[in-house]
Amino acid sequence: MATDASSTSESTTRDLTGAPAPTGERADLLDMLAKHRHFLRLTTRDLTDEQAGLRTTASELCLGGLIKHVTSVERSWAGFIVDGPSVMGDFTAMTEADWARRTDEFRMLPGETLAGVLADYAEAARRTDELVVGLPDLGATQPLPKAPWFEADTEWSARRVLMHIVAETAQHAGHADIIRESLDGAKSMG
């Protein structure tokens, strides 16, 4: 398998732990993802568990649920990069119970805490970042899982998956900003 120019073996800089720090394209992707993760997490500052679970718009979304969803999405796509579509399953074969479990990603369930949801997200982010740094080739592809929203017989590269994770995080950071502003007037920016 060929490696790209931003391979960790060519990296001469180190992060705070002494591990090779990403450079080039990898650094750019991780910096952009970190920026949107920050804005998503920022929307939950100073909230109680109860507030994190409140719906404040016509949508079913709440802040804690958005964090849970983005965590699940990031984990699934990172798994896809390594192990392919089997990690995600066949969306065309999902049952009503499967869809109900998926819906639970978007809300705070009894016993869940904002601190716990944020810690889970931080762990998923750490693992994704480590994966990106260690990938031999951002151009390596996997076939997409079966889903009504994907074109059949399509492959995505690790690079494309990472761009999708960035876009998903940015989109939901925007949703979270609206939910937070509707909750108590606080904004992430401005």
Side-chain angles (χ1 to χ4, degrees), residues 54-69:
L54 290 176
R55 290 177 46 209
T56 62
T57 65
S59 168
E60 291 287 328
L61 301 175
C62 67
L63 292 171
L66 275 175
I67 301 281
K68 283 176 55 179
H69 171 67

Side-chain angles (χ1 to χ4, degrees), residues 1-6 25-26 29 81 132 135-142 155-162:
M1 187 182 302
T3 57
D4 62 33
S6 60
E25 180 180 21
R26 291 169 198 260
L29 287 166
I81 290 171
V132 172
L135 282 173
D137 183 4
L138 292 178
T141 62
Q142 297 278 11
E155 293 186 345
W156 276 12
S157 67
R159 176 183 297 102
R160 173 96 184 252
V161 170
L162 292 168

Side-chain angles (χ1 to χ4, degrees), residues 43 47 50-64 66 106 175-186:
T43 63
L47 292 181
E50 180 183 3
Q51 289 171 312
L54 290 176
R55 290 177 46 209
T56 62
T57 65
S59 168
E60 291 287 328
L61 301 175
C62 67
L63 292 171
L66 275 175
F106 292 95
H175 293 147
D177 202 34
I178 292 167
I179 292 168
R180 178 62 191 259
E181 187 174 1
S182 298
L183 179 66
D184 64 4

